[in-house]
Short mmCIF file of all heavy atoms in Angstrom, two decimals:
data_model
loop_
_atom_site.label_atom_id
_atom_site.label_comp_id
_atom_site.label_asym_id
_atom_site.label_seq_id
_atom_site.Cartn_x
_atom_site.Cartn_y
_atom_site.Cartn_z
N SER A 437 14.04 4.11 -34.23
CA SER A 437 13.73 3.06 -33.27
C SER A 437 15.00 2.47 -32.64
O SER A 437 16.06 2.65 -33.21
CB SER A 437 12.90 1.98 -33.95
OG SER A 437 13.68 1.42 -34.96
N GLY A 438 14.82 1.81 -31.48
CA GLY A 438 15.95 1.23 -30.84
C GLY A 438 15.50 0.35 -29.69
O GLY A 438 14.37 0.46 -29.27
N CYS A 439 16.39 -0.52 -29.26
CA CYS A 439 15.99 -1.47 -28.17
C CYS A 439 17.02 -1.36 -26.99
O CYS A 439 18.19 -1.09 -27.19
CB CYS A 439 16.12 -2.89 -28.65
SG CYS A 439 14.91 -3.24 -29.95
N CYS A 440 16.43 -1.52 -25.80
CA CYS A 440 17.29 -1.53 -24.60
C CYS A 440 17.05 -2.88 -23.87
O CYS A 440 15.89 -3.17 -23.54
CB CYS A 440 16.92 -0.41 -23.68
SG CYS A 440 17.86 -0.38 -22.18
N PHE A 441 18.13 -3.64 -23.69
CA PHE A 441 18.03 -4.93 -23.04
C PHE A 441 18.67 -4.83 -21.67
O PHE A 441 19.76 -4.25 -21.59
CB PHE A 441 18.77 -6.01 -23.82
CG PHE A 441 18.25 -6.24 -25.20
CD1 PHE A 441 18.76 -5.48 -26.23
CD2 PHE A 441 17.27 -7.17 -25.45
CE1 PHE A 441 18.28 -5.66 -27.58
CE2 PHE A 441 16.81 -7.37 -26.75
CZ PHE A 441 17.32 -6.61 -27.83
N THR A 442 18.07 -5.30 -20.62
CA THR A 442 18.67 -5.27 -19.30
C THR A 442 18.80 -6.68 -18.80
O THR A 442 17.84 -7.41 -18.66
CB THR A 442 17.86 -4.41 -18.35
OG1 THR A 442 17.66 -3.14 -18.90
CG2 THR A 442 18.57 -4.25 -16.98
N LEU A 443 20.08 -7.11 -18.50
CA LEU A 443 20.31 -8.39 -17.95
C LEU A 443 20.02 -8.35 -16.46
O LEU A 443 20.57 -7.54 -15.75
CB LEU A 443 21.78 -8.80 -18.17
CG LEU A 443 22.09 -9.56 -19.47
CD1 LEU A 443 21.69 -8.76 -20.68
CD2 LEU A 443 23.56 -9.94 -19.57
N LEU A 444 19.16 -9.32 -16.00
CA LEU A 444 18.75 -9.27 -14.61
C LEU A 444 18.86 -10.68 -13.95
O LEU A 444 18.56 -11.72 -14.64
CB LEU A 444 17.24 -8.87 -14.53
CG LEU A 444 16.88 -7.47 -14.99
CD1 LEU A 444 15.38 -7.34 -15.05
CD2 LEU A 444 17.43 -6.42 -14.08
N ARG A 445 19.24 -10.67 -12.71
CA ARG A 445 19.11 -11.91 -11.95
C ARG A 445 17.70 -11.91 -11.37
O ARG A 445 17.10 -10.85 -11.22
CB ARG A 445 20.17 -11.95 -10.84
CG ARG A 445 21.45 -12.40 -11.43
CD ARG A 445 22.72 -11.75 -11.06
NE ARG A 445 22.67 -10.38 -10.59
CZ ARG A 445 23.61 -9.92 -9.85
NH1 ARG A 445 24.63 -10.67 -9.40
NH2 ARG A 445 23.60 -8.64 -9.46
N LYS A 446 17.22 -13.14 -11.01
CA LYS A 446 15.76 -13.22 -10.65
C LYS A 446 15.37 -12.22 -9.57
O LYS A 446 14.40 -11.55 -9.62
CB LYS A 446 15.45 -14.64 -10.21
CG LYS A 446 15.07 -15.49 -11.38
CD LYS A 446 14.27 -16.72 -10.94
CE LYS A 446 13.93 -17.55 -12.13
NZ LYS A 446 14.25 -18.94 -12.02
N HIS A 447 16.31 -12.07 -8.59
CA HIS A 447 15.92 -11.23 -7.46
C HIS A 447 15.92 -9.73 -7.76
O HIS A 447 15.45 -8.92 -7.06
CB HIS A 447 16.86 -11.52 -6.24
CG HIS A 447 18.26 -11.00 -6.49
ND1 HIS A 447 19.22 -11.79 -7.06
CD2 HIS A 447 18.89 -9.80 -6.29
CE1 HIS A 447 20.35 -11.13 -7.18
NE2 HIS A 447 20.16 -9.93 -6.73
N GLU A 448 16.43 -9.44 -8.95
CA GLU A 448 16.45 -8.01 -9.37
C GLU A 448 15.20 -7.58 -10.13
O GLU A 448 14.94 -6.36 -10.31
CB GLU A 448 17.66 -7.72 -10.25
CG GLU A 448 18.98 -7.81 -9.50
CD GLU A 448 20.16 -7.68 -10.48
OE1 GLU A 448 20.11 -8.19 -11.62
OE2 GLU A 448 21.19 -7.07 -10.06
N VAL A 449 14.39 -8.54 -10.57
CA VAL A 449 13.27 -8.25 -11.47
C VAL A 449 12.28 -7.24 -10.84
O VAL A 449 11.85 -6.30 -11.49
CB VAL A 449 12.53 -9.52 -11.86
CG1 VAL A 449 11.27 -9.22 -12.70
CG2 VAL A 449 13.48 -10.37 -12.66
N LYS A 450 11.94 -7.48 -9.58
CA LYS A 450 10.94 -6.65 -8.93
C LYS A 450 11.43 -5.17 -8.83
O LYS A 450 10.69 -4.19 -9.13
CB LYS A 450 10.64 -7.16 -7.57
CG LYS A 450 9.26 -6.79 -7.04
CD LYS A 450 8.96 -7.57 -5.79
CE LYS A 450 7.95 -6.84 -5.02
NZ LYS A 450 7.89 -7.34 -3.67
N ARG A 451 12.71 -5.01 -8.43
CA ARG A 451 13.29 -3.66 -8.28
C ARG A 451 13.34 -2.98 -9.63
O ARG A 451 13.09 -1.80 -9.73
CB ARG A 451 14.67 -3.84 -7.69
CG ARG A 451 15.21 -2.58 -7.01
CD ARG A 451 16.16 -2.87 -5.92
NE ARG A 451 17.25 -3.82 -6.31
CZ ARG A 451 18.41 -3.42 -6.78
NH1 ARG A 451 18.70 -2.17 -6.98
NH2 ARG A 451 19.34 -4.32 -7.13
N PHE A 452 13.64 -3.72 -10.62
CA PHE A 452 13.79 -3.18 -11.98
C PHE A 452 12.38 -2.67 -12.48
O PHE A 452 12.29 -1.61 -13.07
CB PHE A 452 14.33 -4.22 -12.98
CG PHE A 452 14.52 -3.69 -14.31
CD1 PHE A 452 15.40 -2.68 -14.59
CD2 PHE A 452 13.79 -4.25 -15.41
CE1 PHE A 452 15.59 -2.18 -15.88
CE2 PHE A 452 13.99 -3.78 -16.70
CZ PHE A 452 14.87 -2.75 -16.91
N LYS A 453 11.37 -3.46 -12.13
CA LYS A 453 10.00 -3.06 -12.55
C LYS A 453 9.60 -1.71 -11.95
O LYS A 453 9.10 -0.83 -12.54
CB LYS A 453 9.02 -4.18 -12.11
CG LYS A 453 7.71 -4.09 -12.78
CD LYS A 453 6.80 -5.22 -12.42
CE LYS A 453 5.36 -4.86 -12.77
NZ LYS A 453 4.41 -5.56 -12.05
N LYS A 454 9.98 -1.57 -10.64
CA LYS A 454 9.65 -0.34 -9.93
C LYS A 454 10.42 0.80 -10.56
O LYS A 454 9.93 1.94 -10.65
CB LYS A 454 10.04 -0.46 -8.42
CG LYS A 454 8.83 -0.96 -7.63
CD LYS A 454 9.22 -1.17 -6.20
CE LYS A 454 9.50 0.11 -5.48
NZ LYS A 454 9.87 -0.15 -4.05
N LEU A 455 11.68 0.56 -10.89
CA LEU A 455 12.50 1.59 -11.47
C LEU A 455 11.87 2.11 -12.83
O LEU A 455 11.77 3.28 -13.01
CB LEU A 455 13.86 0.96 -11.78
CG LEU A 455 14.99 1.92 -12.20
CD1 LEU A 455 15.90 2.15 -11.00
CD2 LEU A 455 15.77 1.33 -13.33
N LEU A 456 11.41 1.16 -13.65
CA LEU A 456 10.83 1.57 -14.92
C LEU A 456 9.49 2.35 -14.77
O LEU A 456 9.23 3.23 -15.57
CB LEU A 456 10.59 0.38 -15.81
CG LEU A 456 11.78 -0.28 -16.43
CD1 LEU A 456 11.37 -1.30 -17.47
CD2 LEU A 456 12.69 0.73 -17.05
N GLN A 457 8.77 1.99 -13.70
CA GLN A 457 7.51 2.71 -13.48
C GLN A 457 7.72 4.21 -13.28
O GLN A 457 6.87 5.01 -13.56
CB GLN A 457 6.78 2.12 -12.27
CG GLN A 457 6.06 0.85 -12.72
CD GLN A 457 5.45 0.09 -11.51
OE1 GLN A 457 5.80 0.32 -10.37
NE2 GLN A 457 4.62 -0.86 -11.78
N LYS A 458 8.87 4.58 -12.76
CA LYS A 458 9.16 6.00 -12.60
C LYS A 458 9.18 6.73 -13.91
O LYS A 458 9.02 7.92 -13.94
CB LYS A 458 10.53 6.16 -11.84
CG LYS A 458 10.49 5.71 -10.45
CD LYS A 458 11.75 6.03 -9.73
CE LYS A 458 11.59 5.55 -8.25
NZ LYS A 458 12.85 5.70 -7.52
N ALA A 459 9.47 6.01 -14.96
CA ALA A 459 9.40 6.63 -16.28
C ALA A 459 8.17 6.21 -17.03
O ALA A 459 8.16 6.22 -18.30
CB ALA A 459 10.65 6.29 -17.07
N ASP A 460 7.15 5.75 -16.31
CA ASP A 460 5.86 5.37 -16.88
C ASP A 460 6.01 4.19 -17.88
O ASP A 460 5.18 4.03 -18.77
CB ASP A 460 5.28 6.55 -17.66
CG ASP A 460 3.79 6.64 -17.38
OD1 ASP A 460 3.30 5.87 -16.56
OD2 ASP A 460 3.11 7.48 -18.03
N CYS A 461 6.96 3.38 -17.69
CA CYS A 461 7.20 2.26 -18.58
C CYS A 461 6.67 0.99 -17.91
O CYS A 461 7.35 0.46 -17.00
CB CYS A 461 8.67 2.16 -18.92
SG CYS A 461 9.06 0.77 -19.97
N ASP A 462 5.48 0.55 -18.35
CA ASP A 462 4.93 -0.63 -17.74
C ASP A 462 5.19 -1.88 -18.54
O ASP A 462 4.99 -2.99 -18.09
CB ASP A 462 3.43 -0.43 -17.56
CG ASP A 462 3.13 0.64 -16.53
OD1 ASP A 462 3.86 0.69 -15.56
OD2 ASP A 462 2.22 1.43 -16.74
N SER A 463 5.63 -1.70 -19.80
CA SER A 463 5.84 -2.86 -20.61
C SER A 463 7.31 -3.15 -20.85
O SER A 463 8.02 -2.32 -21.45
CB SER A 463 5.10 -2.65 -21.96
OG SER A 463 5.75 -3.34 -22.95
N CYS A 464 7.76 -4.25 -20.29
CA CYS A 464 9.12 -4.63 -20.51
C CYS A 464 9.20 -6.15 -20.69
O CYS A 464 9.51 -6.86 -19.70
CB CYS A 464 10.02 -4.13 -19.34
SG CYS A 464 11.74 -4.52 -19.55
N PRO A 465 8.83 -6.64 -21.82
CA PRO A 465 8.74 -8.15 -22.00
C PRO A 465 10.11 -8.82 -21.83
O PRO A 465 11.16 -8.18 -21.95
CB PRO A 465 8.23 -8.29 -23.38
CG PRO A 465 8.41 -6.97 -24.08
CD PRO A 465 8.55 -5.94 -23.05
N THR A 466 10.03 -10.08 -21.56
CA THR A 466 11.26 -10.89 -21.42
C THR A 466 11.78 -11.27 -22.77
O THR A 466 11.02 -11.72 -23.67
CB THR A 466 10.94 -12.15 -20.59
OG1 THR A 466 10.43 -11.71 -19.34
CG2 THR A 466 12.22 -12.97 -20.36
N TYR A 467 13.05 -11.06 -23.01
CA TYR A 467 13.65 -11.51 -24.26
C TYR A 467 14.34 -12.88 -24.01
O TYR A 467 15.22 -12.96 -23.13
CB TYR A 467 14.68 -10.44 -24.65
CG TYR A 467 15.34 -10.68 -26.00
CD1 TYR A 467 14.76 -10.19 -27.19
CD2 TYR A 467 16.53 -11.42 -26.13
CE1 TYR A 467 15.37 -10.39 -28.42
CE2 TYR A 467 17.10 -11.62 -27.39
CZ TYR A 467 16.53 -11.12 -28.45
OH TYR A 467 17.09 -11.30 -29.72
N SER A 468 13.90 -13.83 -24.72
CA SER A 468 14.46 -15.21 -24.48
C SER A 468 15.75 -15.39 -25.21
O SER A 468 15.79 -15.21 -26.43
CB SER A 468 13.53 -16.29 -24.87
OG SER A 468 12.31 -16.07 -24.18
N VAL A 469 16.76 -15.90 -24.49
CA VAL A 469 18.02 -16.23 -25.14
C VAL A 469 18.06 -17.74 -25.23
O VAL A 469 17.72 -18.45 -24.31
CB VAL A 469 19.16 -15.71 -24.23
CG1 VAL A 469 20.48 -16.21 -24.69
CG2 VAL A 469 19.16 -14.18 -24.21
N SER A 470 18.45 -18.21 -26.42
CA SER A 470 18.43 -19.65 -26.63
C SER A 470 19.35 -20.44 -25.70
O SER A 470 20.49 -20.22 -25.58
CB SER A 470 18.85 -19.88 -28.08
OG SER A 470 19.49 -21.18 -28.20
N SER A 471 18.69 -21.35 -24.93
CA SER A 471 19.48 -22.18 -24.00
C SER A 471 20.50 -23.11 -24.69
O SER A 471 21.54 -23.42 -24.20
CB SER A 471 18.54 -22.98 -23.09
OG SER A 471 17.70 -23.74 -23.89
N GLU A 472 20.11 -23.48 -25.97
CA GLU A 472 21.03 -24.34 -26.73
C GLU A 472 22.30 -23.55 -27.03
O GLU A 472 23.45 -24.14 -26.87
CB GLU A 472 20.40 -24.73 -28.05
CG GLU A 472 19.44 -25.88 -27.92
CD GLU A 472 18.45 -25.94 -29.04
OE1 GLU A 472 18.84 -25.51 -30.14
OE2 GLU A 472 17.34 -26.46 -28.83
#
Side-chain angles (χ1 to χ4, degrees):
S437 60
C439 296
C440 177
F441 301 88
T442 305
L443 270 58
L444 296 170
R445 278 137 336 156
K446 271 200 181 129
H447 69 270
E448 291 174 323
V449 174
K450 207 169 154 196
R451 200 152 51 91
F452 182 63
K453 195 175 163 204
K454 269 177 71 182
L455 189 103
L456 286 190
Q457 279 172 345
K458 291 187 178 173
D460 221 7
C461 177
D462 292 322
S463 151
C464 182
T466 303
Y467 185 89
S468 303
V469 169
S470 150
S471 54
E472 281 160 26

